[in-house]
Amino acid sequence: MSGIVEFLISYLPSITVTVINSIVPIVFGILVKFEKYSPNFEINITLGRTVLLRLASLAVLIGSIIPRITNCDNNKTNSSYVIQYCDACEEDTQCWETYLGQEMYKLCITDFAAVIGVILFYEFPRRLITRYFECGITKILGDMEFEIPKNVLAIVYSQAICWLGAFFCPLIPFMTAVKFIIVFYLKKWSLLYNMVPSARPYKASRSGFFFMVILLVTYLLCFAPVICAMTLMQPSRGCGPFRYLPTMWETIVISFEEWPDFIQNIVKYALSSGFLVPLIILILS
């Protein structure tokens, strides 16, 4: 029993984030009906709120992890650098890179389990109840409509988890690809069997640009923590390929210094203001 409790506790942050991301958008959908916006603006404002919620939940999760991986005494390390017995951090964060990767794995698995659970234990039973039973509850529930924006945001959120964790857990892109394939066919079955077309016409041409902006912002926000981890945070001294370096970025600097001089000069010129400023002006013009 204690093992099960410890297992649930280890997944508690990911479960909390997933539950919040599932419940609060429903509240947003109810509140926006009282704000009397136009149909198109109502979709956009709901999408914006939901995106901010999901990105904020990821930021809070990372913010709760950072104190655990930065309050370690990295000067306390084993002379032998044995991974499983390193003294770089406390017991459950001995290698903070691995610990962060584990949290991303948990979040990916929890999100996948939530999607499967909603389809099998909410959408399918609700369809059976509304089809074979006639009572006041079934009239209130009604038939479910397939909401394209909501499902697009679910894909963006899964992609954000993949972007955020790919550097620390190399298998998460493969897991995300497999998850997308399974979810696609489950969603297709649920759409054909459990749902009806939306009563509100959806104009993809108007919201397509909005979705692309959301995807770009999500990518940039997920890219920033990875860059900070590479350039600012000290690698674990007891494990990992960067344990002898002050930062992960240092390995790129060392590799760059080993290149031939003419290649170094080309790269330095390409990154100089004398080349980048005219290039940016040319692109913008």
Side-chain angles (χ1 to χ4, degrees):
M1 183 63 68
S2 61
I4 298 177
V5 173
E6 291 178 359
F7 176 79
L8 292 176
I9 291 176
S10 67
Y11 271 82
L12 191 58
S14 300
I15 294 174
T16 303
V17 169
T18 303
V19 170
I20 292 175
N21 289 335
S22 301
I23 295 177
V24 177
I26 298 176
V27 178
F28 288 159
I30 296 174
L31 292 178
V32 78
K33 296 182 183 299
F34 296 97
E35 295 173 339
K36 297 181 180 180
Y37 295 125
S38 63
N40 190 52
F41 186 76
E42 180 180 324
I43 292 176
N44 291 338
I45 193 67
T46 304
L47 290 178
R49 290 170 176 172
T50 305
V51 168
L52 289 177
L53 168 71
R54 298 198 171 192
L55 294 180
S57 63
L58 289 177
V60 171
L61 179 63
I62 295 175
S64 65
I65 294 174
I66 288 178
R68 304 191 63 183
I69 62 180
T70 55
N71 292 334
C72 308
D73 187 2
N74 276 337
N75 293 322
K76 292 182 178 180
T77 55
N78 266 346
S79 59
S80 59
Y81 291 99
V82 180
I83 293 177
Q84 60 268 34
Y85 298 111
C86 67
D87 298 322
C89 295
E90 55 184 305
E91 182 178 355
D92 58 347
T93 55
Q94 292 177 356
C95 184
W96 67 262
E97 298 91 343
T98 300
Y99 176 75
L100 186 57
Q102 289 172 346
E103 292 301 317
M104 291 298 103
Y105 277 130
K106 292 175 184 177
L107 196 59
C108 181
I109 294 172
T110 306
D111 178 66
F112 177 64
V115 173
I116 301 299
V118 168
I119 294 175
L120 298 181
F121 301 109
Y122 172 70
E123 295 178 355
F124 180 61
R126 176 176 171 177
R127 178 58 175 168
L128 293 179
I129 292 173
T130 55
R131 173 175 291 185
Y132 297 107
F133 297 93
E134 293 184 3
C135 59
I137 297 178
T138 58
K139 293 180 180 179
I140 294 175
L141 291 176
D143 293 324
M144 287 180 295
E145 297 181 355
F146 186 79
E147 301 178 8
I148 295 179
K150 177 182 176 181
N151 288 275
V152 170
L153 284 187
I155 296 175
V156 173
Y157 177 68
S158 298
Q159 187 65 58
I161 297 175
C162 178
W163 283 332
L164 199 57
F167 182 74
F168 302 99
C169 35
L171 286 180
I172 203 169
F174 174 75
M175 290 178 58
T176 303
V178 173
K179 182 176 77 170
F180 279 160
I181 294 173
I182 297 174
V183 169
F184 170 78
Y185 286 103
L186 281 175
K187 288 282 188 180
K188 179 181 178 181
W189 170 79
S190 180
L191 169 64
L192 296 176
Y193 185 79
N194 298 326
M195 300 186 181
V196 296
S198 176
R200 177 182 300 173
Y202 175 75
K203 296 182 179 180
S205 58
R206 291 187 177 181
S207 297
F209 175 75
F210 185 72
F211 286 138
M212 295 301 295
V213 171
I214 289 176
L215 194 63
L216 176 61
V217 172
T218 303
Y219 174 75
L220 294 177
L221 292 178
C222 292
F223 192 62
V226 177
I227 293 297
C228 291
M230 293 176 60
T231 58
L232 301 178
M233 297 184 65
Q234 187 178 26
S236 298
R237 286 292 181 254
C239 53
F242 308 105
R243 59 182 179 269
Y244 302 108
L245 302 174
T247 61
M248 301 178 192
W249 185 258
E250 191 67 22
T251 186
I252 298 178
V253 176
I254 295 174
S255 299
F256 177 74
E257 292 175 350
E258 295 176 354
W259 291 358
D261 292 337
F262 75 95
I263 296 181
Q264 294 186 33
N265 294 331
I266 293 174
V267 174
K268 289 178 181 178
Y269 177 74
L271 297 177
S272 65
S273 58
F275 178 81
L276 289 179
V277 172
L279 179 63
I280 293 174
I281 294 176
L282 180 63
I283 293 175
L284 294 178
S285 62

